[in-house]
Amino acid sequence: VMTLDLGKSNSFTSSSGSSSVRDIILERMPNTILLFTTSTIIISAIGLFVGAFVASKAGSIWDRVNSAFAVFSGSFPIWWIGMLMIFAFAFAYHIFPARSTPLTPPSDPSYIIDLLYHMLLPLITIVLVGFGSWAYFVRFFVVGILNEDYIQAKRTTGISEKKIVYSHALKNAAPPIITVVALSLAASFGGAILSEAVFDWPGMGKLYYDAIGAFDYPIIIGVTYILTVIFVLTVFVADIVYGYFDPRVRVG
């Protein structure tokens, strides 16, 4: 286990022909990191900006629209939205391919460009579904910070509202936000099993899905072990980062 000697797969091989579970997982992991870590970063960036913006205008039309969109986007499973996106942009308008697995072999120099092109549709879908609820989450914490007495004191000193929201309130709301970002990044290594299956994205989630269907226990156990290690390490790093944003944690 410590050397990642996770056995041999019963049904799968890597592109080089190896049946080692370690080789198969390490070949799929970069694709999952590329798609889901990229989407997590984009969702977090958009959510931070939009959430802080609507928090500064709590009760306004922008706040109500954001809340409605968060409920609307979070009410539908991503695999169902993915199927609609494939139907619309792959079959109806022929903008993106229906399958996200590139036909170009990995040894081809143009493979990276082809992979990025095939990644666009699932990336757009994940960001579209995810950023609304993330913005609502940020808005919830920032609104609570903006009602604190020290924020009111900063307003009386003449500090601009924009600086108060993005420099002071957002930083003080960072610890719970960091927790969600860290857990989202940890989960991104495993990918979303159904999302990768719907888009046929060649990542760890699709590998997990196929392994379950094929009863390939070495792959299932190997992927589960790798995801568990990544999750534990991510939580450990998040605890260390808390000290930077929260002096109480650093002093304690």
Side-chain angles (χ1 to χ4, degrees):
V1 169
M2 296 301 295
T3 60
L4 297 182
D5 184 5
L6 304 174
K8 303 289 185 180
S9 171
N10 302 323
S11 309
F12 302 92
T13 59
S14 65
S15 59
S16 62
S18 173
S19 61
S20 170
V21 172
R22 176 182 57 192
D23 295 339
I24 296 172
I25 292 176
L26 291 179
E27 182 181 69
R28 297 292 190 100
M29 185 180 291
N31 294 335
T32 291
I33 294 175
L34 178 64
L35 174 59
F36 285 93
T37 304
T38 302
S39 62
T40 300
I41 292 173
I42 295 175
I43 289 172
S44 301
I46 297 176
L48 284 173
F49 176 79
V50 175
F53 174 77
V54 297
S56 64
K57 300 181 181 299
S60 67
I61 183 64
W62 295 107
D63 188 20
R64 291 195 292 269
V65 169
N66 176 71
S67 300
F69 181 77
V71 173
F72 181 79
S73 62
S75 299
F76 298 100
I78 189 171
W79 56 265
W80 185 73
I81 299 295
M83 294 173 64
L84 294 181
M85 295 288 282
I86 292 173
F87 175 79
F89 295 102
F91 293 104
Y93 294 102
H94 305 287
I95 299 175
F96 299 109
R99 296 178 68 244
S100 294
T101 299
L103 299 178
T104 306
S107 58
D108 194 301
S110 62
Y111 174 76
I112 298 298
I113 297 177
D114 195 22
L115 184 68
L116 294 176
Y117 169 65
H118 282 75
M119 185 183 76
L120 286 177
L121 185 58
L123 178 65
I124 293 172
T125 304
I126 295 170
V127 172
L128 184 64
V129 172
F131 86 87
S133 57
W134 176 251
Y136 184 80
F137 173 82
V138 173
R139 178 257 183 208
F140 174 80
F141 283 101
V142 173
V143 165
I145 297 296
L146 290 176
N147 292 326
E148 296 288 344
D149 292 338
Y150 67 89
I151 294 294
Q152 302 299 331
K154 290 182 181 297
R155 289 193 177 103
T156 60
T157 61
I159 300 177
S160 66
E161 188 68 18
K162 183 178 180 180
K163 185 175 181 180
I164 289 176
V165 172
Y166 290 100
S167 297
H168 300 284
L170 200 56
K171 184 176 181 180
N172 283 278
I177 293 175
I178 289 174
T179 302
V180 178
V181 172
L183 295 180
S184 298
L185 286 174
S188 71
F189 282 87
I193 297 177
L194 292 180
S195 298
E196 289 196 3
V198 167
F199 287 103
D200 196 29
W201 178 254
M204 291 178 63
K206 181 66 163 55
L207 176 64
Y208 206 86
Y209 178 86
D210 292 338
I212 292 173
F215 297 99
D216 196 320
Y217 298 111
I219 291 288
I220 296 173
I221 295 173
V223 174
T224 303
Y225 168 69
I226 294 296
L227 296 182
T228 303
V229 171
I230 292 174
F231 179 83
V232 172
L233 291 177
T234 303
V235 172
F236 176 73
V237 173
D239 286 339
I240 295 176
V241 174
Y242 276 168
Y244 173 75
F245 289 97
D246 193 342
R248 294 171 299 179
V249 176
R250 183 167 60 250
V251 173

